[in-house]
Amino acid sequence: MEVRGELIRVLGIETSCDETAASVVALDGERAPEIRSNVVLSQIAEHAAFGGVVPEIAARAHVEALDGIVEAALADAGVDLADIDAVAATAGPGLVGGLIVGLMTAKAIAAAAGKPLLAINHLEGHALTARLTDGLVFPYLLLLVSGGHTQIVRVAGVGDYQRWATTIDDALGEAFDKTAKMLGLPYPGGPNVEKAAEKGDAARFAFPRPMKGAAQPDFSFSGLKTAVRQAASAIAPLTDKDVADICASFQAAVADALQDRVRRALERFRSEFPDMKTPALVVAGGVAANRTIKSTLEALCRDAGFRFVAPPLKLCTDNAAMIAWAGIERLSAGLADTEGSFAFVPRSRWPLDGVSAPVVGSGRRGAKA
Ligand code: KG4
Ligand code: ZN
């Protein structure tokens, strides 16, 4: 399918975790891409009582909501299915029940409407978002920090990704969520830990900075979580002041550890692309909302001569515009395997980078991290 220079509109569908989302993104010749609609239904309320995402509840909620969300996305964009050039859906990695719902729905819509289908890697959606929002050119560095992923990826082209670091245990958002749960703060933990930390003393607890200074480029957060648990049980019952101090100290440790890991990656990027005048670091994922983390990374980039790119939060967290956009990028690059997409079976694990060795071991379904 030749798309250069003409109007192309792609319907995106995202159901890999606890957001049911659909979006229409358009690219018209050389003009900047346009998000024509971006509908996201969060399931936070359904999962809150359990302190985390329950896969079965998520899958059921996707089944119930998806048709209406797709209709809303088309209506918001003012288009019919007939106007759509292709359907792009997240096919992994993620919770397999939700992936099945999204990909099957996309297959049915594409088959019924006679449109090409694109099975998209969720991580590719995050990786390419900065080109949709900021028109970024390749190569750049991506820091993805969400509830499910903590990775540094060198993005050199559509389909050209190299993972430079990943977590060897918990994802960063998961560490925030578990810390919140331990302290009796509501789900999702990240925003509540950040709020509590505002009134806290970050110097009260000297929590570890996992992997700081390590030669291995990866992240680790489970030791920090254990240290939080030990500190909390040592002074229980906790006052509001104790909770605030633990949150502030935890956040400071996280920011410090992140800074060390990211600085290392910026240095590597510099040495691999010495001729780039202003290289860029892009952040994505829900944790990028955290102001302490954001300002730490911003300062780091300033010192290292990197441009710091943080797409609007709505497009940093899970959404379908990034999936539609990844579809447009694949079509434009001539990398759309639409026949293979119809045969594609959803993958709970699907590393973006098929080359870098898995850090935590790999199973039948591919690398774990
Ligand atoms: O990207 P996202 O919306 O969903 C996926 O995990 O894919 O990220 C959600 C994660 C949760 O773990 C949540 O606690 C965390 O992002 N989060 C935050 C903040 N807002 C959301 N973590 C730290 N500070 C925040 N302000
Ligand atoms: Zn995500």
Side-chain angles (χ1 to χ4, degrees), residues 91-94 120-124 149 151 153 159 161-163 166 330 344 347-359 361-369:
I120 300 291
N121 184 312
H122 178 85
L123 302 173
E124 180 167 61
H149 302 279
Q151 305 192 346
V153 180
Y161 313 106
Q162 196 177 62
R163 199 195 60 217
T166 187
R330 287 211 154 249
F344 199 98
R347 291 181 61 176
S348 57
R349 291 183 198 152
W350 184 7
L352 192 52
D353 164 5
V355 178
S356 299
V359 173
S362 69
R364 204 166 30 87
R365 291 166 291 165
K368 283 185 180 168

Side-chain angles (χ1 to χ4, degrees), residues 122 146-148 173-174 176-177 188-191 194 285-287 289-290 316-318:
H122 178 85
S146 71
E174 201 180 348
F176 268 94
D177 294 337
E194 178 170 20
V287 183
N290 187 287
C316 263
T317 55
D318 289 351

Side-chain angles (χ1 to χ4, degrees), residues 112-160:
K115 306 290 180 185
L117 175 73
L118 296 125
I120 300 291
N121 184 312
H122 178 85
L123 302 173
E124 180 167 61
H126 281 303
L128 298 176
T129 299
R131 290 169 50 78
L132 168 64
T133 56
D134 294 78
L136 220 59
V137 293
F138 298 121
Y140 53 87
L141 204 57
L142 170 78
L143 171 69
L144 173 60
V145 276
S146 71
H149 302 279
T150 304
Q151 305 192 346
I152 299 176
V153 180
R154 183 221 61 190
V155 183
V158 180
D160 186 355

Side-chain angles (χ1 to χ4, degrees), residues 34-325:
E34 215 184 303
I35 299 173
R36 297 279 172 89
S37 63
N38 187 16
V39 185
V40 181
L41 177 70
S42 168
Q43 302 174 1
I44 282 181
E46 274 115 309
H47 300 286
F50 305 95
V53 178
V54 184
E56 290 76 10
I57 294 176
R60 184 171 292 267
H62 287 306
V63 170
E64 284 166 7
L66 188 55
D67 285 358
I69 297 294
V70 168
E71 268 175 38
L74 292 171
D76 280 5
V79 294
D80 290 324
L81 265 184
D83 305 318
I84 293 294
D85 296 287
V87 182
T90 302
L95 300 173
V96 81
L99 293 172
I100 290 172
V101 174
L103 187 58
M104 290 303 155
T105 303
K107 284 180 182 178
I109 293 173
K115 306 290 180 185
L117 175 73
L118 296 125
I120 300 291
N121 184 312
H122 178 85
L123 302 173
E124 180 167 61
H126 281 303
L128 298 176
T129 299
R131 290 169 50 78
L132 168 64
T133 56
D134 294 78
L136 220 59
V137 293
F138 298 121
Y140 53 87
L141 204 57
L142 170 78
L143 171 69
L144 173 60
V145 276
S146 71
H149 302 279
T150 304
Q151 305 192 346
I152 299 176
V153 180
R154 183 221 61 190
V155 183
V158 180
D160 186 355
Y161 313 106
Q162 196 177 62
R163 199 195 60 217
W164 282 2
T166 187
T167 177
I168 56 173
D169 40 58
D170 293 345
L172 184 51
E174 201 180 348
F176 268 94
D177 294 337
K178 286 178 178 170
T179 294
K181 205 170 173 180
M182 279 189 269
L183 301 175
L185 297 171
Y187 174 84
N192 291 303
V193 168
E194 178 170 20
K195 194 152 167 263
E198 278 166 20
K199 289 161 268 150
D201 172 10
R204 178 163 162 205
F205 298 93
F207 290 137
R209 272 64 171 155
M211 304 296 280
K212 188 171 177 182
Q216 183 183 349
D218 298 305
F219 301 94
S220 165
F221 295 106
S222 76
L224 177 56
K225 179 186 65 191
T226 307
V228 168
R229 181 183 294 116
Q230 284 166 348
S233 48
I235 57 166
L238 303 177
T239 64
D240 287 353
K241 170 85 174 95
D242 294 331
V243 169
D245 292 347
I246 292 175
C247 287
S249 304
F250 165 81
Q251 213 170 249
V254 163
D256 200 17
L258 261 185
Q259 185 189 37
D260 176 71
R261 307 284 74 195
V262 174
R263 177 186 290 122
R264 207 175 180 286
L266 298 186
E267 283 164 8
R268 177 170 172 190
F269 194 90
R270 270 269 182 235
S271 69
E272 294 204 6
F273 302 99
D275 299 332
M276 276 194 91
K277 282 223 167 54
T278 320
L281 173 74
V282 178
V283 288
V287 183
N290 187 287
R291 278 160 296 165
T292 301
I293 290 176
K294 212 168 172 177
S295 58
T296 301
L297 295 171
E298 246 166 331
L300 177 63
C301 283
R302 207 179 313 121
D303 291 348
F306 272 65
R307 182 176 160 203
F308 178 76
V309 181
L313 199 60
K314 259 180 76 170
L315 298 169
C316 263
T317 55
D318 289 351
N319 66 87
M322 70 179 188
I323 303 303
W325 174 246

